[in-house]
Amino acid sequence: MATVKVKGMSCQHCVKSVTEAMEKLGAKDVKIDLLTGDVNYEEPAPIRKDDIKAAIEKIGFEYAG
Ligand code: 9UX
């Protein structure tokens, strides 16, 4: 399992947007903790953090590592 941190999510719609963005990059089993901003996921094939950052920022959230 891998984890990234995303700031700016404040509702379940935000969670859905981020989940879908992650899935587009190939992430599976995406689980998001709205309170902490932790995004946990499985990566059947390695996903570059740079690509995640770009996708997260594109939909208006802040990638925080
Ligand atoms: Mo609801 Mo999440 O307006 O930005 S989609 S807070």
Side-chain angles (χ1 to χ4, degrees):
M1 190 196 73
T3 304
V4 294
K5 206 126 182 145
V6 172
K7 287 186 186 170
M9 292 181 290
S10 45
C11 75
Q12 286 302 326
H13 299 112
C14 302
V15 167
K16 188 158 184 279
S17 300
V18 171
T19 299
E20 286 171 357
M22 291 294 293
E23 287 173 348
K24 242 189 213 176
L25 294 174
K28 304 287 183 203
D29 200 19
V30 180
K31 300 243 166 53
I32 297 180
D33 185 324
L34 195 47
L35 293 179
T36 62
D38 285 339
V39 178
N40 297 315
Y41 58 98
E42 302 294 341
E43 43 183 354
I47 305 170
R48 295 172 51 211
K49 292 289 167 71
D50 279 357
D51 290 338
I52 295 176
K53 183 173 190 290
I56 293 300
E57 289 174 351
K58 191 175 169 191
I59 58 172
F61 299 101
E62 183 185 343
Y63 176 88

